[in-house]
Amino acid sequence: MYRPTKLDTLPADPTLDEVRLFLPPFIADEAVFDGWTPAARDAAASAQGLEPGLAQLAFDQGPMDMIEAWISHIDAQMIEAFPPERIASMKIRERITALVAFRFEAVAHQREALRRATAILALPSNLGRAAKLSWRTADLMWRLAGDTATDYNHYSKRMILSGVYGSTLMAFLDDESPDFADTHAFLARRIENVMQFEKAKAKWTKGGESLSLTRFLGRLRYPAR
């Protein structure tokens, strides 16, 4: 299982890997104002008593390096927040809903950094890497939720969850409701869509027919709100 890690304190003489684990949330704080730029990276490093030159070496491939490291940090927070004993007490729908919701709640104070990161991920030159990150996130959530499928369902579940996560992210970025109530309601509707799809898939598969996964993902991405 993919298990990202994070570093809560920085050693006196850190390695580049330790810098990559420690600095991303602080870069995100700066990215709220400066975007995912060298200025944000260097400001975060200086604020944490780190030489900006070392931070430059740690994130030498630019914004995507910083954004991917930040996503890994959120992954690590999610793993800590959902130990097996917490997950065990939930139904599958509750598990997926809680995991997706956690990712937005964890960055609510850095929403502008997320907006800027989303714009960078959407650049044509970054689409391949962005797709891998989306898949990785969906895979991690399903594994935390206890999924052990290895057949076609392994892939379809992750594709569908990527669609749910992506569409909910867009709703979250534009949500001005108290405590992001509109985002939570939007997520609940998307999860209900998934449950309906799973029921229909089971019915059609039993009858020897199949549903269009591509059409369903399109409806998740551009749903009626």
PDB file of all heavy atoms in Angstrom, residues 16 49 110 144 152 182:
ATOM      1  N   LEU A  16      17.756  16.502   1.633  1.00  0.00           N
ATOM      2  CA  LEU A  16      16.779  17.015   0.671  1.00  0.00           C
ATOM      3  C   LEU A  16      15.435  16.305   0.824  1.00  0.00           C
ATOM      4  O   LEU A  16      14.375  16.934   0.707  1.00  0.00           O
ATOM      5  CB  LEU A  16      17.303  16.851  -0.756  1.00  0.00           C
ATOM      6  CG  LEU A  16      18.515  17.714  -1.143  1.00  0.00           C
ATOM      7  CD1 LEU A  16      18.905  17.448  -2.590  1.00  0.00           C
ATOM      8  CD2 LEU A  16      18.219  19.196  -0.937  1.00  0.00           C
ATOM      9  N   GLY A  49      13.588  28.902   9.057  1.00  0.00           N
ATOM     10  CA  GLY A  49      15.002  28.886   9.384  1.00  0.00           C
ATOM     11  C   GLY A  49      15.833  28.020   8.455  1.00  0.00           C
ATOM     12  O   GLY A  49      16.896  27.518   8.844  1.00  0.00           O
ATOM     13  N   GLN A 110      -6.250  27.080   3.117  1.00  0.00           N
ATOM     14  CA  GLN A 110      -5.305  27.292   2.019  1.00  0.00           C
ATOM     15  C   GLN A 110      -6.023  27.170   0.667  1.00  0.00           C
ATOM     16  O   GLN A 110      -5.441  26.758  -0.324  1.00  0.00           O
ATOM     17  CB  GLN A 110      -4.173  26.261   2.093  1.00  0.00           C
ATOM     18  CG  GLN A 110      -3.350  26.338   3.371  1.00  0.00           C
ATOM     19  CD  GLN A 110      -2.453  25.125   3.559  1.00  0.00           C
ATOM     20  OE1 GLN A 110      -2.858  24.002   3.260  1.00  0.00           O
ATOM     21  NE2 GLN A 110      -1.253  25.341   4.045  1.00  0.00           N
ATOM     22  N   LEU A 144      -7.638   2.737   1.983  1.00  0.00           N
ATOM     23  CA  LEU A 144      -7.981   3.078   3.363  1.00  0.00           C
ATOM     24  C   LEU A 144      -9.401   2.628   3.693  1.00  0.00           C
ATOM     25  O   LEU A 144      -9.695   2.261   4.837  1.00  0.00           O
ATOM     26  CB  LEU A 144      -7.846   4.584   3.588  1.00  0.00           C
ATOM     27  CG  LEU A 144      -6.429   5.147   3.689  1.00  0.00           C
ATOM     28  CD1 LEU A 144      -6.465   6.667   3.795  1.00  0.00           C
ATOM     29  CD2 LEU A 144      -5.695   4.566   4.888  1.00  0.00           C
ATOM     30  N   TYR A 152     -11.624  -6.047 -12.673  1.00  0.00           N
ATOM     31  CA  TYR A 152     -12.085  -4.830 -13.344  1.00  0.00           C
ATOM     32  C   TYR A 152     -12.570  -3.789 -12.343  1.00  0.00           C
ATOM     33  O   TYR A 152     -12.370  -2.591 -12.534  1.00  0.00           O
ATOM     34  CB  TYR A 152     -13.206  -5.193 -14.323  1.00  0.00           C
ATOM     35  CG  TYR A 152     -14.003  -4.020 -14.833  1.00  0.00           C
ATOM     36  CD1 TYR A 152     -13.513  -3.198 -15.845  1.00  0.00           C
ATOM     37  CD2 TYR A 152     -15.257  -3.735 -14.286  1.00  0.00           C
ATOM     38  CE1 TYR A 152     -14.241  -2.124 -16.309  1.00  0.00           C
ATOM     39  CE2 TYR A 152     -15.999  -2.657 -14.745  1.00  0.00           C
ATOM     40  CZ  TYR A 152     -15.482  -1.854 -15.754  1.00  0.00           C
ATOM     41  OH  TYR A 152     -16.206  -0.779 -16.207  1.00  0.00           O
ATOM     42  N   ASP A 182     -22.551  23.638   1.108  1.00  0.00           N
ATOM     43  CA  ASP A 182     -22.902  23.307  -0.274  1.00  0.00           C
ATOM     44  C   ASP A 182     -21.981  22.228  -0.838  1.00  0.00           C
ATOM     45  O   ASP A 182     -22.426  21.359  -1.605  1.00  0.00           O
ATOM     46  CB  ASP A 182     -22.825  24.561  -1.151  1.00  0.00           C
ATOM     47  CG  ASP A 182     -23.956  25.541  -0.871  1.00  0.00           C
ATOM     48  OD1 ASP A 182     -24.909  25.165  -0.154  1.00  0.00           O
ATOM     49  OD2 ASP A 182     -23.871  26.693  -1.355  1.00  0.00           O
TER      50      ASP A 182
END
